[in-house]
């Protein structure tokens, strides 16, 4: 519970700051890069959560790791490290991105398919997805051969599963019932 409040407080404050500076788009891109870096490199997450490293040592290492990031991001990282809140960085970055998307009227959507979709199929699916929401859709495509065929689309909190593996599972459950 406390962690949720901490994450929300820092993300909201930093987002508000980004709006005041009129740098929300730039900072959202950097927060996305930061989130991806932490997600893909477990050592980075371990670094931020390591209680043995001193604040001074973390700040020194951070300066080298994040020198390509903006002053605003580096100032946020300094603050989080000094306040011993750096363990929440990944969640703060994710919440910041959510706040940015809400502010811009963007809803994330994911299309999962067994093979790459044709342009025509993708446009048809997006047309249907547009009917589900009044927000602009930001599309992410994932190829997952495990679904065998068809597609799964997630728009915000909604999901439509038109995959072959799902249909086979439904058929299997019906056959087991009878």
């Amino acid at each position: 519970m406390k962690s949720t409040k901490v994450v929300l407080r820092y993300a909201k404050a930093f987002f508000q700051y980004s709006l005041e500076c009129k740098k929300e788009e730039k900072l959202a891109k950097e927060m996305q890069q930061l989130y991806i870096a932490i997600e893909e490199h477990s050592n980075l997450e371990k670094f931020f959560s390591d209680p043995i490293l001193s604040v001074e040592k973390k700040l020194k290492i951070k300066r080298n790791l994040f020198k390509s990031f903006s002053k605003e991001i580096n100032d946020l990282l300094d603050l989080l490290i000094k306040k011993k809140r750096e363990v929440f960085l990944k969640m703060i970055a994710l919440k910041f991105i959510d706040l940015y998307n809400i502010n811009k009227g963007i809803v994330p959507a994911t299309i999962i398919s067994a093979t790459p979709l044709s342009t025509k199929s993708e446009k048809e699916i997006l047309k249907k997805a547009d009917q589900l929401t009044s927000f602009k859709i930001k599309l992410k495509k994932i190829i997952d051969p495990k679904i065998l065929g068809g597609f799964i689309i997630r728009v915000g909190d909604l999901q439509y599963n038109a995959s072959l593996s799902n249909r086979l599972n439904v058929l299997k459950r019906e056959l087991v019932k009878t």
Side-chain angles (χ1 to χ4, degrees):
M1 180 69 174
K2 183 181 178 189
S3 65
T4 306
K5 286 182 180 180
V6 169
V7 168
L8 193 56
R9 186 178 305 128
Y10 278 95
K12 276 184 173 181
F14 193 62
F15 183 69
Q16 190 61 43
Y17 171 75
S18 75
L19 290 173
E20 290 168 9
C21 296
K22 298 188 185 323
K23 295 182 178 181
E24 65 271 14
E25 192 168 328
K26 177 186 178 205
L27 294 176
K29 285 179 184 172
E30 287 190 356
M31 287 297 249
Q32 182 75 38
Q33 292 170 346
L34 196 56
Y35 176 80
I36 290 169
I38 295 169
E39 186 75 10
E40 290 179 353
H41 304 287
S42 60
N43 290 340
L44 198 53
E45 195 161 10
K46 288 175 188 170
F47 161 72
F48 282 119
S49 61
D50 189 344
I52 297 172
L53 285 174
S54 69
V55 169
E56 293 77 27
K57 192 142 186 117
K58 282 186 180 183
L59 287 170
K60 186 178 178 184
I61 294 169
K62 186 253 353 153
R63 277 186 217 106
N64 290 328
L65 288 175
F66 299 102
K67 58 185 165 198
S68 65
F69 283 84
S70 67
K71 179 188 181 318
E72 293 83 6
I73 296 289
N74 274 289
D75 287 349
L76 174 66
L77 293 172
D78 287 349
L79 177 67
L80 292 172
I81 291 169
K82 288 175 185 174
K83 296 286 185 179
K84 299 190 183 294
R85 303 278 199 222
E86 66 273 19
V87 70
F88 300 114
L89 178 59
K90 182 177 164 185
M91 293 183 293
I92 291 169
L94 192 59
K95 188 64 183 172
F96 181 93
I97 295 162
D98 286 345
L99 292 170
Y100 173 80
N101 285 337
I102 290 167
N103 181 268
K104 294 295 182 184
I106 299 169
V107 65
T110 306
I111 293 180
I112 303 168
S113 60
T115 58
L117 294 171
S118 68
T119 307
K120 182 182 176 189
S121 297
E122 190 177 311
K123 284 181 181 177
E124 276 188 44
I125 293 168
L126 278 174
K127 189 189 240 183
K128 294 283 186 191
D130 277 335
Q131 295 171 356
L132 299 173
T133 182
S134 59
F135 290 103
K136 291 182 278 183
I137 292 177
K138 183 177 182 180
L139 187 62
K140 178 181 175 184
K141 300 176 221 171
I142 299 173
I143 306 299
D144 183 1
K146 290 182 217 159
I147 69 168
L148 305 176
F151 65 91
I152 301 169
I153 184 163
R154 293 185 189 118
V155 179
D157 294 338
L158 301 172
Q159 176 174 300
Y160 177 71
N161 192 336
S163 68
L164 184 57
S165 63
N166 182 57
R167 290 182 182 165
L168 289 171
N169 284 334
V170 168
L171 183 61
K172 180 180 174 183
R173 282 192 298 257
E174 287 179 18
L175 289 172
V176 169
K177 280 183 187 177
T178 59

